[in-house]
Structure formats: C-alpha cells, structure tokens
Amino acid sequence: MTDESSRPTDFIREIITEDLKKGKYDHRVHTRFPPEPNGYLHIGHAKSICLNFGIAKDYKGTCNLRFDDTNPEKEEQEYVESIIDAVRWLGFDFGPEPRYASDYFGFMYTAAEYLITAGHAYVDSQTAEEMREHRGTLTSPGKESPFRGRAAAENLDLFRAMRDGRHPDGAMVLRAKIDMASPNINLRDPAIYRIKHAEHHRTGSTWCIYPMYTYAHPIEDARENITHSICTLEFEDQRPFYDWLLERLAEGGLVQRPLPQQIEFARLNLSFTVLSKRKLIQLVTEGHVTGWDDPRMPTVSGMRRRGYTPEAIRNFCERIGVAKRDSTVDLALLEFCIREDLNKRAPRVMAVLRPLRVVITNYPEDQEEELDAVNNPEDPAAGCRTVPFSRLLYIERDDFLENPPKQFFRLAPGREVRLRYAYYITCEKVVKDERTGEVVELHCTYDPKTRGGDSPDGRKVKATLHWVSARHAISSEVRLYTTLFSTPEPGAESGDFRQDINPASLEVLSSAYVEPGLAGAVPGSRYQFERMGYFCVDPDSTRDRLVFNRTVTLKDAWAKIQKAQK
RNA sequence: UGGGGAGUCGUCCAAUGGCAGGACGGUAGACUCUGGAUCUGCUUAUAGGGGUUCGAAUCCUCUCUCCCCAGCCA
C-alpha cells in the first residue's frame, strides 16, 4: 500500500489496513516467516514467504526470518542453511542474520518461572500415557491431574530440578494451568516445557528442557515486536492459548502491549503434487527421487534446478491469492507463470532432442555457411547470432511422418517445409533400416533461392522446423520431466500417495544435439529450445557434456490434436 | 455426538445490501519464419430450504457438505 489509491488485496491486508487506521500498533507493521529447520522449503512455504515479506514491503514494515528451533531432536544446521538460501534466492531480505527461537530460551525460562509463581503453571509428574487418559476426548471433558494442586514453591523446585538435569526424559513436564474441561482441547492444561537430554544445533548442551511450540511461538513474536503473526489454518484452535499466554505475561510485565495477533490463512495445495513434509521426506528417503533438489520436487531447490525463476514463483504466489478456504491450485497456473516469464527472457536456440538424419543432396559436400538467427523475438535487445548450416543435418524425429494425417503440417515424402532461418527443403527419399523398417535417414533437396527462410516467389510452406548441423552440433543429455504423480490428487484413490507415482516422470535423452553456440553454457542458464520448451543447464553438466533439464514444454497445439484423436 | 473454521465458474481469487467480475484452463478464430508468442470471440458459478428487504453471494434461520483439533511435534 504505497499510495492512497491502492486497496488491500486479501483479508489479511484488510485487517492490517484497519489496524493502521486505528493506530493499533503505533502505525508499525512487523511480520515474520517462522520455519522449523527440519526440512526443505517448498512452494507452499513460498506462498507464506511471499505473503509475509510482501506485506512488510507493501506497508514499509519489516519481516523477520526466524527459525523455530525448539525441538533439538528434529532440527539440523543443514536445514537452516538451505532455508536461508531459498529465502534469499526468492528475492527477500531479512537483514544480515536470521532470528532463532533458541535466542529466547533464557527469557522463556524466566517467563515460565513467573507463570509458576503466579499460579498459572505446574509441574506434572504423570506419564505421557496418564496425561493422555486424563485429557478426555473431543466430546468429553478431561480430568485434573493429581499433581495439579502442587504449591508454587514445590513447582519451582521441581522445574529447576528439571532444568538442572536431575530427571530423565519424560519424567515430568511443565503445564499451563487453564481448564481441563475446556471444549477446546488445546486449553486443557497444555504442556509447555518438556525434558529432552539432547544436543541442540545452536545451544549445544546448555539446556535439557525445551519449550513447546505452543508456548514458545507467542513469546518469540512478542520479543520481536511482531504485529501480525500469520500462520496456517491448523493453528486456529491454538489462538486462544496464544492470547491467554501473552495476556498472563503482560500482566506480569514480562511483555509489552500492544500484543501481537495471530491470523490464519489456508495453506497451498497444488494438483499433481504433494506438499506435506512427511511425504516429501518419504520421496527422498525411499529413493523415488534423487534428492531434495530433484527437479521433480516442489521444493524451492528442486524448482530452481528445474529452471523456475524467483519472479515466476513470486508471480504465482500473487495470482493464487490468500483466503481461508481449503483449495487446490491447478498446476497449469504454475506452468503458465513460468512460461510467461521465460517467454520474455529466455534466449532461443535450436536443439534436436530425438535426431533424424537429413542429407541435403544438392548441397555441396564440403560447403558450410553461417545463417543469421534472432535470439529472442520478444526482446529486440537480445540481438542476433549465427548458426552453421551444412549438407548433413538433424531434425526432430517427430517432425517427419511417412503417412501424415490431414492435420500434420510438417515434413513428409514429397512435401516442402522451411528450416528455420535457413532454407526451404523438400523430402525426396526415405531411407529405412531393411530389417526393422525404421526410418533412419531422409534425402532432401534445398532451394538456394530461399536462403534465410523466405521464398522470393512468395511460395508458402505450412511448417517451420528446427534443425542443427550434424558436423557442428554439440551432443548433449536432455532430461525430460513431467509430473511426479499421474493423478491430480495423489493417494486419493488408494490412500497411499506412492501408488500414484508416475513411472514416466523422467525420460533421459542421451543423444540430443544442440547448436554450437551453447558450448560453455553455465549451470542455471535458461533457454528456449525452439518449438520444444524451456530448458535449464543442470549442475551435473561437465566441461565436455552439457545436461539440460526441461523446465516446461511450450504450449503444443499439435500434441493437443493428437491427444484429442486418441 | 464437543470445539474451531470454510462453502461463488472446471480451478484459484474478487464483489463488504445495488448489473456476480478477473485470472488460469477449455474452446473457436485472426496473425505468425516457433502448431510458440500476441490479439479477438465464446464457455461455465453464489451448497440447499425458509425468512428480512424495493433489492440478498452479502443480513437472519434451519439443513447439508468439507477441513482442523484428543504429541512431552510444529
């Protein structure tokens, strides 16, 4: 909202605009993105990142990157690095250093002692199982713990003993004292501290008790003066506790008003993919993909390797909007966003993925020439290049059909087509393997007067084919990706998402040819292979051999016709 | 069967008592040295019943459907 005329675009910005109008937070807006460092970021996180950092930007506020590292058994340094990397790559700035929940462990401990002293918390010596039994059910109230009535002094001693490591894991927990009969289960004396004799990735062995998310998160927000604490829908039931805790701490003067407020929105679901952390981990550990950055993964690192741009992802996140209803976004929208971006910026090159040899019989054996080609018709500033032409070429196997159906415009016996930026050629002869009947080579003639691709007599052709000169082309590997799952909602039918893994999600083409200008292309560079799609140089490339990942195909009218006829 | 949320084109998001709109998808066409891009047309929706109102997607009411919650996970 940088000017008067702009209006909020979602219900969260509406709330913020209203708060600003009322002066609720002294005209400040401060958000945060709080991942747990126990996995890699995916497109669903990107939605949250764009929301939180986007709001900060819109309202000239601040957004913190904060690691919610309250469970040492699950969290690792490796993840914090990948998350930092992903956030920066997406184009967001959180200052020189991220924040950590563990930065506040000391304060959280002090606050817990205050709660005990004020009679708002107690140490419970029940086992986990006993606690579960006493919690009641969704429809029946819980029962109070026999330890609920302990005096503050005893609780304090016990809690300090917990901290000092005098009890094993699970021996006791600190609980908030609220209401065991509450219809909201989260208010039935939730555990707020547990014993874990575990090494923490940042605090080492300083602590053997760790706060629960429920307790830690509101405190982290308050400590960072967060104004709007935006999270996903499943935390909605948690909000009464969030408010309860902060109210108690404000009463004790441990946090200042105005208190941050929690606002929930619906997480992203995407068709043909899974986004739950558990499922993503399973894909990696069970070897269904090659790693977190496998180009078929919906992780930020996977999409990056696939060839997605930060701009396309940000644009996607803006287009899908923010609301409270559960929804599943069509993968086609994501693909639209990356095509839209790459169409404007990706240089065009010619690459033949499944080569078919073509001999231009009337082109002199020892002759070759350089032809002018436009780098990007959408961007005149991208300039021109030349591509070599000679007697022996490769064209795409799919661009020739011996017995073409009516709607097939491409090369066929006796038919004339244009070779892009080069010449008109006519297919004169089809050479086949005698045993298999497979077409192995085409003999064509070219019309020298059509150099550059135009015929002086105004003669039209129905198709333009991409090609490479066999002598000059660089042999490369091309990895063709389609969706990792073959159904829009993986697991919907069988209950096991792995049943719907698409066995054909990766096709490796090891004898593709790209034009010579691509020599030395660096990993991460993106190109449009004319008529085939957008491709990105994979880090697996070596000096001698380029490897390309297909980011997304071009829209393909012919493929659609073929599909419709099946 | 407790509590908390949510129901609008195929999909996602708007409309905040006043002509249900946009984007993606789909489809038809124009154009084209990429069957790309671009442009144009068309397509389809307020979960259901009752009520309030001159007027309801919006307010009231009843019903239905879907999601979340019974970790010492986040």
Side-chain angles (χ1 to χ4, degrees), chain A residues 488-555:
Chain A
E489 197 186 338
E493 195 139 319
S494 64
D496 182 355
F497 74 103
R498 293 169 302 182
Q499 296 292 307
D500 293 335
I501 288 178
N502 174 9
S505 62
L506 167 62
E507 184 182 359
V508 178
L509 269 22
S510 51
S511 57
Y513 290 99
V514 303
E515 59 175 74
L518 247 32
V522 299
S525 26
R526 307 179 185 91
Y527 299 91
Q528 185 196 100
F529 289 179
E530 294 224 26
R531 305 206 304 134
M532 302 307 287
Y534 295 98
F535 292 79
C536 181
V537 180
D538 190 85
D540 283 351
S541 299
T542 63
R543 265 233 312 274
D544 308 319
R545 187 158 174 86
L546 288 169
V547 177
F548 294 91
N549 295 319
R550 183 173 68 194
T551 310
V552 67
T553 60
L554 254 29
K555 269 172 53 181

Side-chain angles (χ1 to χ4, degrees), chain A residues 28-45:
Chain A
R28 257 176 348 101
V29 173
H30 199 156
T31 55
R32 100 269 94 107
F33 171 64
E36 183 187 16
N38 72 341
Y40 285 72
L41 258 32
H42 55 66
I43 183 73
H45 294 110

Side-chain angles (χ1 to χ4, degrees), chain A residues 350 352 367-369 387-395 467-474 513-516:
Chain A
M350 292 196 283
V352 174
Q367 188 174 318
E368 61 181 64
E369 61 187 308
V387 288
F389 186 87
S390 63
R391 178 182 162 95
L392 216 206
L393 311 171
Y394 292 120
I395 65 165
W467 54 276
V468 292
S469 163
R471 196 189 316 164
H472 303 89
I474 308 170
Y513 290 99
V514 303
E515 59 175 74

Side-chain angles (χ1 to χ4, degrees), chain A residues 282-302:
Chain A
Q282 225 172 329
L283 288 172
V284 174
T285 56
E286 292 177 7
H288 303 294
V289 295
T290 58
W292 287 99
D293 67 344
D294 186 299
R296 291 165 293 184
M297 289 285 276
T299 49
V300 173
S301 55

Side-chain angles (χ1 to χ4, degrees), chain A residues 109 113 156-167 195 197 206-209:
Chain A
Y109 178 82
E113 286 208 347
L156 211 47
D157 284 346
L158 254 14
F159 186 51
R160 287 175 179 166
M162 280 169 64
R163 176 200 58 189
D164 295 339
R166 283 188 267 133
H167 297 288
I195 302 170
H197 292 270
T206 306
W207 298 93
C208 64
I209 56 171

